Each structure stands twice: as C-alpha cells, then as structure tokens.
Amino acid sequence: MDHSLRCFGAILSLPKTHHHNNNFLFSIFSSLLLLFISISISSSDAAFDLATIPFNDGYSPLFGDSNVVRSDDGNGVSLLLDRFTGSGFISSNMYKYGFFSANIKLPSNYTAGLCVAFYTSNGDVFEKTHDELDFEFLGNLAGKPWRFQTNLYGNGSTHRGREERYRLWFDPTKEYHRYSILWTSKNVVFYIDEVPIREVLRSAEMGADYPSKPMSLYATIWDASNWATSGGRYKVNYKYAPFVAEFKDLVLKGCSVDPIQESTAAAGLSICSDQHADLEAQDYAVITPRRRLAMRRFRQRYMYYSYCYDTLRYPNPLPECDIIPSEKQRFKETGRLKFGGSHRRQSRRKGRTTTPVEDPDDQGDM
C-alpha cells in the first residue's frame, strides 16, 4: 500500500478517545490528501530526454529589448515588466509541428494584472488566418496563487476561444517547472513537467480550426490589467516592479520551414516528413495509460473552467468537445470569466486586442 494511504488509514482508524480534536484531525487528513493527490499527479513518468539550446542559437528579443536579460551561461533569459514596457522573445525560425518547451519561474509577491505567456503563433505572417497555441499565466493578489489557462486558435478562429483555466499543485514562484506544447498533425498536448494536462485531438469536424500552418515560439510578460485578475478588478501595481519571469533550458524541436515557400500542404509534408516521424516517435508524443491517469486526476482536481461547458458562450458545444456528464454538472455555472483574446497583434506592442466575455465575475479565486 502507498505510504500516503497508510497515513490516511491510521487517521481513520484512530479510536474515538483520540478524536477529541476533530478539527485538528481533519486538517491533517486534508493536508495528507492534498499531498497524495500532488504526488499521484507529479509522478506520471520519468523526466523527458530533451536537447536544450542556448538562447542566442534559437531566439531573439521581440520587444522591450532592454528588459530581455540573458543569463550569464547563455542558456536562459529573464523577461521584465516595468512601468515603461513589458518584454518578450521569439524563435528565430518558424516550425511546421514541433515540441516547444522551457523551464519557467514566475514573479512572486503582488502580481495582479500580469500575464506571462508562452505560446506559438503565426500572426505576424498570416494576420487574418493565424494559428495559435497558448500557455497564459495570470497573476494575483499577494498571498493568492497564480492561475493559468491554455487555448488554441486555427485559421483566424479568434471568435471561438477554446480556453480552459486551472490552478497549480505547486508554487510556480519558488522553483522552475517545465511547461511544454506538443503540436503534431494529429493532436496538441499541453504538459507541465511530465504531466499532460490537456489533449486536443484533430478531427474532421474541427476543420480549419485546427492549427496547421507554420508557427514561431513566443514568450512575453505584459500588463493585462483589463482582464487577467478577477476580470480586470485588480490592476498591475508598479510599486512592485520590476516583475521578472525567468526562462531556461529552452527546447525547440520540429521542422523549420519558410511559410511563404510552403505553398501547399502536400509540399510541406514532403519537406518535413522525416522530422514529423521523428517527433511522433518521441517519448512525450505518447500518452501512456499512466500519463492519461495523471491527466484525468489533474483535470478533476485543478481545472475550474472549460469552454466545452460554457453554455453562455457556446449554447452548442464545439465539435471537438467530449461532454462528460459529471464534468457538465460541475461546470454548469462557470460561464462568467473574462478572457484576453488572441496574441496576433502583440508582436511589437505591450498589450493585445481583447475579446472579453461580458460577465466580469472571475471565479479564479476559488
């Protein structure tokens, strides 16, 4: 039996004479339960075998160049937000499918209004038909935890946001954790460390909403006071600036292509067929039964919003949604969040165009 479960059993089997302090026992039980859940999620599999690259070999500043601070060893970078500008970096190449990953540590203390984003996009090339895959980390008041969301767009489908929002099972400001996006012709998988937290399967019903054109990798920190924390209720307080997000052990694995030369899908596939096969043969491209169990546990415990159950936005669920009755009941009142929309015009600016949900009552402080 698992040691954690033994502890639970010991508590539950205490004689009644030892139950004089029920609140104390409940506190112990709750703490051990949370520890057990965290261990069961984080132990999904061994660490991925990844080849990292120095920052200058694969990336360059995107905006706020003076706030893009390279590490002494050249393997990482810090992005700063101050009262003058945010900052960001972009991959030197565009990729047709790939694995994009970094160890990231988020700012601490008061971070309300902040958005730290790690995402792929091609909005600078395909302004009206862009694709996008997002990790977006949303700051909070001092003493309250960061939250984050994942999202995807395909072929300019920015009016159909596919956001999911979550809490974390650790403090992302204390140490680095690895955040990864796997993008293949068959599926998209978002990972935290070795835990898959979301999978989107490509289907005929999704059509062009599935991202399929070459994309660059971006990372940014910026002022998202109008939506990021409690629907815009709490703003960035520059008394706590500079805000610093740290990135290291960067990974870019995929087929580097010129989107202009890739004039047809068939040509793109022939150019990249070997790299695509290699990508899909990697360990992280396979969601093993153990990983799928960890993903289900994460989503049951830490996901607090899914677009698939937001009947205010989508009276009819989008075609890729797999409606689970128990989840539908749990999320029936969650259609109240405010979102920031697409990154497609952010590339050289501090902010971005928003497409908010009207009701500002953000349930992220649950």
Side-chain angles (χ1 to χ4, degrees):
M1 180 185 292
D2 184 276
H3 291 298
S4 303
L5 293 178
R6 288 177 182 169
C7 292
F8 298 160
I11 291 174
L12 294 174
S13 63
L14 284 174
K16 290 184 178 179
T17 56
H18 289 184
H19 283 240
H20 59 278
N21 192 338
N22 290 333
N23 290 336
F24 176 70
L25 290 174
F26 180 77
S27 176
I28 294 176
F29 179 80
S30 298
S31 298
L32 287 172
L33 179 60
L34 181 59
L35 175 64
F36 173 71
I37 292 172
S38 299
I39 290 172
S40 66
I41 290 174
S42 60
S43 61
S44 64
D45 261 321
F48 297 141
D49 182 17
L50 302 175
T52 63
I53 61 173
F55 180 80
N56 287 344
D57 287 0
Y59 310 87
S60 61
L62 176 66
F63 68 97
D65 293 21
S66 62
N67 281 356
V68 179
V69 182
R70 295 165 178 80
S71 63
D72 291 339
D73 63 7
N75 292 321
V77 65
S78 294
L79 297 182
L80 282 64
L81 168 68
D82 57 29
R83 64 180 63 254
F84 302 106
T85 183
S87 56
F89 64 83
I90 183 174
S91 61
S92 303
N93 296 312
M94 301 184 75
Y95 297 86
K96 180 64 178 281
Y97 306 127
F99 185 77
F100 311 93
S101 184
N103 273 322
I104 303 173
K105 185 163 68 170
L106 298 175
S108 60
N109 202 352
Y110 182 100
T111 57
L114 287 187
C115 181
V116 175
F118 183 76
Y119 65 102
T120 63
S121 178
N122 49 33
D124 287 342
V125 178
F126 304 102
E127 292 188 6
K128 295 182 179 180
T129 60
H130 91 289
D131 306 302
E132 186 173 312
L133 299 168
D134 296 313
F135 268 111
E136 294 179 305
F137 303 95
L138 309 176
N140 214 332
L141 300 174
K144 291 194 173 185
W146 280 81
R147 297 152 302 142
F148 75 102
Q149 66 183 32
T150 60
N151 196 8
L152 80 159
Y153 300 105
N155 203 42
S157 58
T158 56
H159 60 292
R160 290 188 294 276
R162 289 173 161 87
E163 294 92 348
E164 290 185 348
R165 280 198 184 174
Y166 327 83
R167 295 179 295 269
L168 289 160
W169 65 94
F170 54 83
D171 184 344
T173 73
K174 298 296 185 183
E175 57 188 12
Y176 288 90
H177 285 268
R178 181 164 290 283
Y179 303 88
S180 308
I181 301 171
L182 171 68
W183 171 45
T184 76
S185 61
K186 302 173 183 175
N187 65 342
V188 172
V189 182
F190 295 88
Y191 278 99
I192 298 181
D193 295 326
E194 286 69 50
V195 180
I197 64 163
R198 178 181 184 181
E199 180 183 28
V200 179
L201 294 171
R202 187 174 195 170
S203 66
E205 291 76 15
M206 283 189 75
D209 279 12
Y210 188 86
S212 59
K213 297 186 293 295
M215 292 192 279
S216 300
L217 184 281
Y218 296 78
T220 57
I221 183 172
W222 53 285
D223 186 330
S225 290
N226 63 327
W227 69 276
T229 306
S230 296
R233 189 180 309 155
Y234 302 107
K235 315 296 185 183
V236 171
N237 187 338
Y238 286 99
K239 178 178 74 173
Y240 299 98
F243 303 97
V244 182
E246 301 174 58
F247 298 76
K248 68 175 185 177
D249 305 323
L250 302 159
V251 175
L252 285 175
K253 181 177 177 61
C255 181
S256 174
V257 298
D258 183 332
I260 304 303
Q261 293 180 357
E262 194 206 32
S263 57
T264 67
L269 289 173
S270 64
I271 293 170
C272 296
S273 56
D274 289 344
Q275 289 100 320
H276 291 169
D278 181 59
L279 178 68
E280 294 179 16
Q282 299 301 309
D283 177 43
Y284 47 72
V286 179
I287 301 184
T288 63
R290 187 174 181 180
R291 287 177 184 158
R292 196 163 293 282
L293 176 60
M295 179 166 65
R296 186 169 74 244
R297 286 171 173 164
F298 169 84
R299 295 174 68 82
Q300 289 173 344
R301 183 71 179 88
Y302 296 102
M303 184 172 73
Y304 66 87
Y305 172 86
S306 171
Y307 71 101
C308 286
Y309 302 105
D310 188 341
T311 55
L312 294 181
R313 296 175 77 190
Y314 303 114
N316 297 311
L318 296 184
E320 73 277 7
C321 289
D322 181 16
I323 302 300
I324 300 171
S326 60
E327 288 188 352
K328 183 177 182 179
Q329 178 66 22
R330 182 157 63 101
F331 292 120
K332 67 178 181 179
E333 297 296 334
T334 59
R336 302 178 180 176
L337 304 187
K338 192 172 185 180
F339 302 101
S342 165
H343 288 265
R344 72 184 183 279
R345 293 200 178 104
Q346 187 189 335
S347 58
R348 301 292 170 186
R349 305 188 332 183
K350 290 182 282 186
R352 61 171 171 160
T353 303
T354 60
T355 53
V357 173
E358 291 300 325
D359 192 331
D361 182 15
D362 189 345
Q363 297 182 353
D365 295 331
M366 292 168 54

